Amino acid sequence: MKKTINLKSFNIVLAAVLVLGILTSGCASDKDSAGQQGADGKEAYKIGAVLEVSGNSSSLGVPERDTLQMLVDNLNAAGGIDGHPVDLTILDCKSDETEAVLAVKTLIEKDVLAVLGCASSGPSMAMINTVQKEKVPMISMAAASSIVEPVSDRHWVFKTAQSDIVTVSNIISYLQEKGLTKVAFLYMNNAYGDGGKKAFTAAAEENNIEVVVEEKFEASDKDMTPQLTRVKASRAQATVVWAIPPSASILTKNYRDLGIAAPLIHSHGVGNQKFIELAGSAADGVILPIGKLTVARQIPDSDPQKTVLQGYIDDFTGKYNNMPDSFGGYAWDAFYLLVNAIEKAGPDRAAVRDALEHTQGFIGISGVFNISPGDHNGLDKESMVMVQVEDGRWKLLD
């Protein structure tokens, strides 16, 4: 495949430093798979991933890295894609937007067919201009709707995590069912929090739910007591929070310490065991919409995702002796959506993009994907369920 860009010398030097750092820290699979050939001497298909293996969002990126490494090993052991092994390179963006841009440029210079990543919204947004300019398919595993909207400006960009709008829709339905019409809303001061705020504010107004207090905090904050003190003094009947660990866990501890009785509802950004580990017993009672993976054994056998979910759980626990989480599930979806597209399109970036855009009825971990030219996520409200943390475990709500 013909290379599509020529990086300036400055960027090449920086990118080389980045790659060296990742390889020496053991965060790339490139060392193991580079230069592979299939049993018939077929050349490897190169794909890349940019993940938050370190930094504030590492609780999202690490399970995605582990999942991708497991999947590519399994795929290559089974013969790859039509006899072509897959050469996967994973780079750590350190939860930093600038590092993410450098990493994706490095992968494009390696002539990858497509890029997976990032796990969080800010670094994903930062990479969009590069992949759009270089015409490289990208599948983000983050939540912000703006990653794939407007679609007219995101021709090469797709994503697997349920969008803010889908998550908000489930929270609004829950509030309505419980007759809760006055809420407090707190969010991280970054792309993920901003996306949640925008989606929730619009949906609340449309559904006659009043936001009586709104507060924000930084992802690196260690104490949200001042913001929560104002929440406690308000008329809020419930509190909705848009954040990821560790700040989401700290806020949850602060919430319990202040003795706020109103229900605490989080977004799907806390959908991993790390949130519960960091929050401890304070996590009990937290309510959130999430994909079905965390409660796979509690959903009916008739659910179309049941078999796929159980297969992923068995594979992951067999390899890592640990349960997978929703973020690993986003990686599972991104990997197999891409593999399916390459199987149909072959090693051609434009053809792979077209195949992704016409994916219909794909049963994944995060839901049943129906991607179209007007929807580069393809998941609807039914892809999520409401759960509550009970004794440190996820419980499916009726």
Side-chain angles (χ1 to χ4, degrees):
M1 183 176 58
K2 185 179 179 180
K3 292 183 177 182
T4 55
I5 65 167
N6 289 309
L7 295 177
K8 293 180 180 180
S9 298
F10 178 71
N11 280 345
I12 292 174
V13 171
L14 288 177
V17 171
L18 173 65
V19 172
L20 179 60
I22 297 307
L23 289 175
T24 54
S25 64
C27 294
S29 61
D30 183 56
K31 184 178 179 181
D32 296 327
S33 57
Q36 285 186 354
Q37 288 187 333
D40 299 328
K42 293 184 176 180
E43 187 176 354
Y45 289 157
K46 296 179 182 178
I47 63 175
V50 182
L51 299 175
E52 294 85 337
V53 179
S54 61
N56 284 334
S57 302
S58 60
S59 65
L60 284 60
V62 169
E64 294 183 352
R65 176 202 61 187
D66 292 346
T67 294
L68 290 178
Q69 289 179 333
M70 178 187 74
L71 295 181
V72 76
D73 288 346
N74 291 348
L75 181 68
N76 286 335
I81 302 174
D82 191 25
H84 295 266
V86 170
D87 175 2
L88 171 66
T89 299
I90 302 175
L91 299 183
D92 179 12
C93 71
K94 305 172 186 174
S95 305
D96 180 86
E97 295 177 10
T98 301
E99 294 278 358
V101 174
L102 290 172
V104 76
K105 288 181 176 179
T106 298
L107 292 173
I108 293 171
E109 180 68 9
K110 284 175 63 69
D111 210 18
V112 296
L113 271 172
V115 176
L116 310 179
C118 291
S120 59
S121 298
S124 292
M125 293 289 292
M127 298 197 305
I128 289 175
N129 284 342
T130 300
V131 300
Q132 284 283 116
K133 179 182 177 182
E134 304 301 338
K135 300 181 178 179
V136 178
M138 165 182 155
I139 306 178
S140 169
M141 295 166 278
S145 302
S146 54
I147 294 169
V148 291
E149 294 176 359
V151 176
S152 58
D153 295 335
R154 304 287 191 267
H155 186 70
W156 294 87
V157 183
F158 302 83
K159 76 183 197 74
T160 55
Q162 295 92 348
S163 289
D164 308 320
I165 295 171
V166 173
T167 308
V168 164
S169 179
N170 281 279
I171 291 176
I172 293 292
S173 293
Y174 179 83
L175 293 172
Q176 291 175 325
E177 290 171 7
K178 301 299 180 184
L180 304 171
T181 58
K182 296 178 175 58
V183 302
F185 186 80
L186 293 89
Y187 63 103
M188 295 172 68
N189 186 26
N190 59 17
Y192 178 64
D194 290 342
K197 174 196 170 188
K198 181 180 178 181
F200 186 82
T201 301
E205 185 175 350
E206 291 173 4
N207 291 277
N208 298 316
I209 293 173
E210 181 184 2
V211 178
V212 296
V213 59
E214 180 181 289
E215 298 283 347
K216 65 182 177 182
F217 51 90
E218 302 299 325
S220 57
D221 281 356
K222 306 301 182 186
D223 186 2
M224 292 74 167
T225 301
Q227 294 95 328
L228 291 172
T229 298
R230 290 188 282 275
V231 170
K232 185 176 183 179
S234 74
R235 298 174 291 121
Q237 299 168 316
T239 300
V240 178
V241 180
W242 223 265
I244 65 172
S247 61
S249 302
I250 295 170
L251 183 146
T252 301
K253 282 185 171 181
N254 296 155
Y255 198 84
R256 304 303 186 205
D257 288 343
L258 286 172
I260 302 174
L264 178 57
I265 303 171
H266 273 280
S267 70
H268 57 335
V270 303
N272 60 17
Q273 200 62 29
K274 193 69 175 180
F275 164 72
I276 297 177
E277 290 174 8
L278 294 176
S281 60
D284 284 347
V286 165
I287 297 164
L288 67 148
I290 195 171
K292 300 172 184 174
L293 177 65
T294 56
V295 289
R297 292 187 175 90
Q298 301 173 48
I299 64 174
D301 291 342
S302 57
D303 191 290
Q305 290 180 252
K306 184 86 173 188
T307 302
V308 175
L309 294 171
Q310 193 57 55
Y312 174 44
I313 291 171
D314 291 344
D315 289 345
F316 194 91
T317 53
K319 184 173 181 64
Y320 298 111
N321 194 30
N322 196 17
M323 281 290 290
D325 62 28
S326 296
F327 300 99
Y330 302 146
W332 191 101
D333 293 330
F335 183 82
Y336 278 120
L337 282 168
L338 179 58
V339 167
N340 285 351
I342 295 173
E343 285 177 341
K344 295 175 181 174
D348 180 276
R349 288 172 175 167
V352 168
R353 191 218 74 88
D354 291 346
L356 283 169
E357 194 173 66
H358 293 89
T359 300
Q360 292 288 302
F362 174 87
I363 300 176
I365 302 300
S366 308
V368 180
F369 288 82
N370 289 296
I371 301 174
S372 69
D375 181 1
H376 279 193
N377 178 221
L379 294 176
D380 60 19
K381 184 181 176 184
E382 303 307 314
S383 64
M384 306 187 90
V385 292
M386 295 300 294
V387 303
Q388 184 169 16
V389 181
E390 187 174 288
D391 295 329
R393 299 177 181 274
W394 308 100
K395 179 183 178 183
L396 180 66
L397 294 177
D398 294 334

